[in-house]
Each structure stands twice: as C-alpha cells, then as structure tokens.
Amino acid sequence: MLYPHVRRGLFGHGLNATLLSVVCALSACSTAPKQPEAGSAAAVEKMTESLNAADKAQKLGKTEDALAELDTAIKVDPGSKQPWLRKAQIYFDARQYGQAITAAQETLQRDTTDLTAKSILAVSGLRVSAQALEQLRKANEVNGSARTEAERSLSICSSGQQ
C-alpha cells in the first residue's frame, strides 16, 4: 500500500479531507488568471486596448469581433459605460433595436445623464413599436379603437406632442 499512514489515521479527525481541500483550493488559486482590478492602471490599459480593438474591428465590418472586444472591456471594468454605449450604437446601426435598448439601459445605469444612450433608447423604442404596429396591421388582428389608439399614440410620440 502506498500511503499506509493515511489508512492508519495518522492525520485523523477529518484532517485528511481538510488538507485535501486546502491543497485543491491553493492549486486552483495559483492557476486562475487574474483580471486587473477596475480603476487600476492595468485595467485602464486593458480597457483602452479592448475599445481600440473594437473600433478597428467595427471599421473592418467585423461586428462580432467588435462585440467580443466590448465584452472583454466590460469584464475588465464592469462599471464603465463606454463599452455598453458602443454596443448600443453597434446594435442600433445594425437595426437590432431590442439589443440596442438593453445596451442603452446598461449605459444609463452607469451614467443617467448620457444623451446618446437616451436617444438610442427612445428611437429604438419607437422603431420597435412601429414594427409591432406594422405586424399587427398586416395580420389584421387589431381593429377598432385599440388599433386606432395605438397608431395615434405612436404618431404623437413621433411628432413630439403630448
């Protein structure tokens, strides 16, 4: 037998399991890559690299690569609004209004005064509503006062009246 001292209970009283747990935990810590702490110089540098890489990818028409770089930036500094705002703009430009709304809301959670995020949110919301009304109109599922009221509400929102 390779480890007779373990069988005889040399460590006794559950110490074997505890020792094994500690060894496993320490080995996991030593192999896990560390993310730079948000706000540190390393985090700022990594964030800048990711944002620049996202811009470059977007200019080359590689939207998925740009979004992946922005996801990396979000992981580096979850409290930063910049990656979320750029995601909102990418989704808006791609006419993916639902995702643009989500990203704009994430931006506004980090900066409630961001006018670009508010604009993306408002216009995306109107476009989603217009698409929904068009689908209803085509399906002819809504008629009478509900349809008229929805169309009137949309035209009021679009024109800026109340």
Side-chain angles (χ1 to χ4, degrees), residues 118-140:
K118 288 180 179 183
S119 297
I120 290 171
L121 183 62
V123 175
S124 294
L126 287 171
R127 291 189 178 169
V128 167
S129 296
Q131 289 171 348
L133 280 173
E134 184 61 28
Q135 289 172 355
L136 287 172
R137 185 177 297 128
K138 286 180 181 177
N140 200 22

Side-chain angles (χ1 to χ4, degrees), residues 5 17 26 35 42 47 68 80 89 93-94 97 105 110 116-117 131 140 142 144 153 157:
H5 59 282
L26 289 176
Q35 286 284 355
M47 168 81 86
S80 176
Q89 291 169 327
D93 291 342
Y97 300 119
Q105 288 173 327
R110 289 153 180 82
T116 302
Q131 289 171 348
N140 200 22
V142 175
S153 295
C157 289

Side-chain angles (χ1 to χ4, degrees), residues 43-115:
V44 170
E45 184 178 336
K46 179 66 177 163
M47 168 81 86
T48 302
E49 288 174 10
S50 293
L51 293 175
N52 289 338
D55 287 343
K56 185 177 178 181
Q58 187 64 20
K59 287 177 185 174
L60 294 172
K62 298 180 178 180
T63 302
E64 292 303 316
D65 292 345
L67 292 170
E69 287 293 341
L70 294 172
D71 287 337
T72 299
I74 289 166
K75 289 176 187 170
V76 170
D77 187 359
S80 176
K81 76 172 186 174
Q82 285 303 321
W84 286 109
L85 183 58
R86 291 186 188 190
K87 283 181 85 164
Q89 291 169 327
I90 288 171
Y91 286 133
F92 183 84
D93 291 342
R95 298 176 188 236
Q96 296 175 356
Y97 300 119
Q99 287 141 316
I101 289 169
T102 300
Q105 288 173 327
E106 288 287 343
T107 302
L108 292 170
Q109 286 181 0
R110 289 153 180 82
D111 179 3
T112 58
T113 64
D114 191 287
L115 292 177

